[in-house]
Amino acid sequence: MTEPAKTSSIYQEDLAYIHDAGFGDTARAAAPVVVEMLRSAGKVQETVVELGCGSGILLAELSRAGHQVMGIDSSSQMLRLARAKAPQAELRCCSLYDAAIPKCAAVLATGEALNYEPPGRSNLQRLPQLIARIYRALADGGFFLFDLILQLPETVDAYQTWRAGEDWAALIDVTPDSDAIMRRILTFRRIGDGYRRQEETHRVRLFRPDDIETAVMSAGFSLEIREGYGQTRLPPGRRLFIAERRPSQGPSE
Ligand SMILES: C[S@@+](CC[C@H](N)C(=O)[O-])C[C@H]1O[C@@H](n2cnc3c(N)ncnc32)[C@H](O)[C@@H]1O
């Protein structure tokens, strides 16, 4: 695993564990959809790159389906879990916005991985460049599949919620912050006889759908927008984007 140039302060040890234990539903729903898309495009044993791969849930399924997978994530704790779950995967610990993307059949970013915005950086400026780089990395007929939280009428930007498992609990407080939401996440995880308390705050950019469509189409992709992965609908305010690099037409007669 390549060591980080800059480590992330998000998804430290306990939140990485909790994400894997209790928040992997999107990656699990995405797996059969992506496997089938690759199969029906005739792409077998291909290179697939996942940006913000987290604990490797999707990498593991793609690896099982016979693909060579590369996972990129800024959290070394997430990658530690991914190493165990998808031992065949090549893993890189760095920002997905800076990572070199090899020639591949598909690039994936599930679970809102593109929405996370570090302090002082604008994803709105960086995303079009990333999309153009992905286009160049993809083979003809390849696709970039990603889900995002967006500025939509139904997007909820202020709420409190919680989720718990056998040895953990996460309390989440969401507040609006201009064109973003702030998610304050308080975690409790059983360690020995007690529970360890940790806290993280994530800034999550809310993209405008038009900005995404413009960036995707200007890069040269065709675009399909869906409300979820197969039968699994994304929560309110989220959409699945499937950007396809059309097969080239070949020389005309
Ligand atoms: C909500 S998790 C989703 C993980 C996985 N894709 C899934 O669906 O289960 C978001 C992931 O994106 C990673 N991430 C966020 N911003 C990133 C960035 N700029 N570069 C690399 N990874 C990033 C986080 O570390 C985290 O693992």
Side-chain angles (χ1 to χ4, degrees):
M1 185 168 88
T2 313
E3 282 310 311
K6 278 187 273 175
T7 44
S8 141
S9 57
I10 66 170
Y11 289 98
Q12 301 284 342
E13 185 177 352
D14 288 355
L15 189 56
Y17 174 84
I18 288 169
H19 176 85
D20 185 60
F23 292 84
D25 19 356
T26 303
R28 262 185 291 277
V33 173
V34 175
V35 168
E36 176 54 24
M37 283 176 67
L38 287 162
R39 195 201 60 76
S40 63
K43 296 188 181 293
V44 288
Q45 299 186 352
E46 295 280 356
T47 298
V48 178
V49 178
E50 187 181 4
L51 307 176
C53 63
S55 61
I57 295 167
L58 183 51
L59 291 178
E61 292 301 323
L62 289 164
S63 190
R64 250 190 291 281
H67 300 290
Q68 286 99 47
V69 290
M70 174 191 275
I72 295 166
D73 203 287
S74 53
S75 161
S76 57
Q77 294 297 330
M78 281 291 210
L79 291 178
R80 201 172 53 79
L81 300 175
R83 166 62 58 228
K85 208 182 293 291
Q88 319 290 337
E90 182 180 341
L91 300 177
R92 301 257 167 92
C93 190
C94 60
S95 165
L96 61 89
Y97 283 99
D98 302 330
I101 300 171
K103 285 278 171 213
C104 57
V107 178
L108 317 169
T110 67
E112 304 166 10
L114 303 176
N115 285 99
Y116 290 80
E117 195 162 70
R121 303 297 297 268
S122 164
N123 285 358
L124 192 57
Q125 283 167 7
R126 299 192 293 171
L127 195 63
Q129 290 156 20
L130 176 68
I131 292 174
R133 265 190 323 113
I134 290 170
Y135 184 87
R136 292 194 293 274
L138 283 170
D140 278 353
F143 58 88
F144 175 32
L145 174 149
F146 56 103
D147 64 72
L148 293 175
I149 177 165
L150 300 162
Q151 291 179 31
L152 291 172
E154 75 267 23
T155 306
V156 188
D157 61 3
Y159 59 94
Q160 292 181 326
T161 188
W162 62 274
R163 215 178 270 192
E166 201 186 319
D167 60 351
W168 60 270
L171 316 182
I172 303 158
D173 179 36
V174 174
T175 50
D177 181 32
S178 62
D179 49 7
I181 53 174
M182 301 302 290
R183 279 192 196 132
R184 182 172 163 228
I185 308 167
L186 196 57
T187 59
F188 296 87
R189 182 180 169 201
R190 190 163 64 216
I191 306 284
D193 290 337
Y195 275 80
R196 180 162 71 191
R197 174 188 158 134
Q198 291 190 340
E199 188 173 332
E200 295 192 16
T201 300
H202 302 169
R203 184 168 205 274
V204 179
R205 153 81 63 169
L206 300 179
F207 291 105
R208 290 186 331 130
D210 287 357
D211 289 334
I212 302 304
E213 289 187 38
T214 303
V216 167
M217 310 292 277
S218 326
F221 285 108
S222 61
L223 177 63
E224 183 189 340
I225 302 174
R226 298 185 187 169
E227 302 215 332
Y229 291 98
Q231 299 300 307
T232 309
R233 277 179 78 98
L234 288 162
R238 279 80 166 170
R239 292 289 184 275
L240 168 61
F241 293 83
I242 300 174
E244 192 193 354
R245 181 176 167 139
R246 294 186 201 86
S248 53
Q249 297 300 302
S252 48
E253 300 277 313

